[in-house]
Amino acid sequence: MIYKIYPLLVFFLLSFGKDSKNTAELKSAKSRNIAKVETNLSVDAKIANVYSTLDANNCKLPELKTFTEALKGFYLLKEKGVIQKNILTLIDFSLSSNTKRLWVIDLTSNKILFNSLVAHGRNTGEEFATAFSNLNSSFKSSLGFYATGEIYQGKHGASLRLDGLERGLNDNARDRGVVMHGADYVSESFIRDHKRLGRSQGCPAVPVELTDEIIQVIKDKSCLYIYHPSRNFIMDEKLIS
């Protein structure tokens, strides 16, 4: 009789041990997934809180979606040490060039410092930006994340160099001479005369009267993000160098 019971007992013990191991692994996997979800939720909640408490400073706020994308990239770049300042410049190229679609935000004081007109490249579109490029002589704007560089004196006066941080998307910015500079075609008077803002050779050009102030604030390793819905936004470290 004992010879019949013993194999059953061994089978039971082995099955119990295997199930226990699987259960432990399953619990561990669930814990990792929950932690990942909680982390994502905490970042989204943090961004929502920053957005809801922004001091608009009598300016129109950017859209929450574009602000969220920009701030997620800012957090990643800050963590990696690519940017150093708590300043975020957001350009929304989904908007008409006749509207103020550039924001400079101080994330320490949580205040909008500037809300300005900004030009896109002449081959990027007329009133609306529709086509983008990372190629030399394309005269098109490039999307994505940038780190601001140094100020220099160019043909447009004081100008700010930009370093594209996304391979294949904007990493030719410095070689292309894509910089922030002032231009007289970035003005309300130009819009009145031409029914649209003037266009650059791919640079995010800003009003002459604001150039010095803006570039002094955002120079030397702050984050600049140029948004357009045609870009598939994936928050992946591989996309940001």
Side-chain angles (χ1 to χ4, degrees):
M1 183 69 177
I2 191 170
Y3 297 108
K4 294 182 179 180
I5 296 175
Y6 182 72
L8 292 175
L9 181 60
V10 171
F11 176 78
F12 174 76
L13 290 174
L14 288 174
S15 299
F16 179 78
K18 185 177 180 181
D19 288 345
S20 298
K21 183 180 179 181
N22 288 343
T23 301
E25 291 176 348
L26 183 60
K27 286 182 178 179
S28 177
K30 285 183 177 179
S31 296
R32 289 195 299 269
N33 290 335
I34 290 171
K36 184 176 181 180
V37 170
E38 287 178 346
T39 299
N40 291 337
L41 286 175
S42 64
V43 171
D44 288 340
K46 180 179 180 180
I47 292 174
N49 180 64
V50 172
Y51 185 81
S52 66
T53 57
L54 265 180
D55 180 353
N57 195 20
N58 297 317
C59 301
K60 180 181 179 181
L61 292 178
E63 293 293 328
L64 176 58
K65 181 181 184 297
T66 58
F67 180 78
T68 298
E69 289 189 9
L71 203 51
K72 283 183 177 179
F74 168 87
Y75 288 147
L76 178 59
L77 292 169
K78 194 73 183 297
E79 180 183 343
K80 291 165 68 72
V82 178
I83 58 170
Q84 299 171 2
K85 291 184 171 181
N86 284 332
I87 298 291
L88 171 64
T89 302
L90 169 60
I91 297 174
D92 186 352
F93 274 165
S94 72
L95 302 176
S96 165
S97 62
N98 297 342
T99 64
K100 294 181 178 181
R101 54 184 181 168
L102 176 148
W103 291 263
V104 177
I105 303 166
D106 185 335
L107 293 171
T108 299
S109 64
N110 214 28
K111 182 178 182 178
I112 294 177
L113 303 179
F114 301 97
N115 179 208
S116 170
L117 296 169
V118 61
H120 56 247
R122 69 178 64 167
N123 289 338
T124 282
E126 294 286 333
E127 178 184 341
F128 287 90
T130 57
F132 307 93
S133 177
N134 192 35
L135 298 178
N136 289 324
S137 303
S138 66
F139 294 163
K140 292 181 180 181
S141 299
S142 299
L143 303 175
F145 286 95
Y146 297 77
T148 61
E150 70 280 9
I151 296 174
Y152 72 100
Q153 292 295 321
K155 64 180 181 180
H156 297 286
S159 305
L160 180 67
R161 297 197 190 277
L162 302 173
D163 291 301
L165 301 176
E166 300 192 57
R167 291 183 295 275
L169 190 68
N170 61 19
D171 57 343
N172 286 331
R174 185 172 281 260
D175 290 341
R176 291 178 62 200
V178 174
V179 301
M180 181 175 284
H181 63 76
D184 55 11
Y185 54 76
V186 185
S187 64
E188 297 289 352
S189 60
F190 192 97
I191 293 173
R192 285 195 299 270
D193 294 340
H194 299 86
K195 309 305 179 187
R196 62 161 173 78
L197 196 69
R199 297 167 299 167
S200 67
Q201 293 185 351
C203 299
V206 294
V208 173
E209 64 273 16
L210 292 178
T211 304
D212 288 343
E213 291 181 82
I214 290 177
I215 65 178
Q216 283 293 336
V217 169
I218 73 173
K219 67 178 180 178
D220 299 332
K221 303 300 182 183
S222 72
C223 179
L224 184 149
Y225 178 54
I226 301 180
Y227 166 85
H228 190 268
S230 64
R231 180 208 178 189
N232 291 324
F233 180 81
I234 303 173
M235 202 63 251
D236 189 324
E237 292 190 25
K238 293 180 180 178
L239 297 179
I240 303 176
S241 57

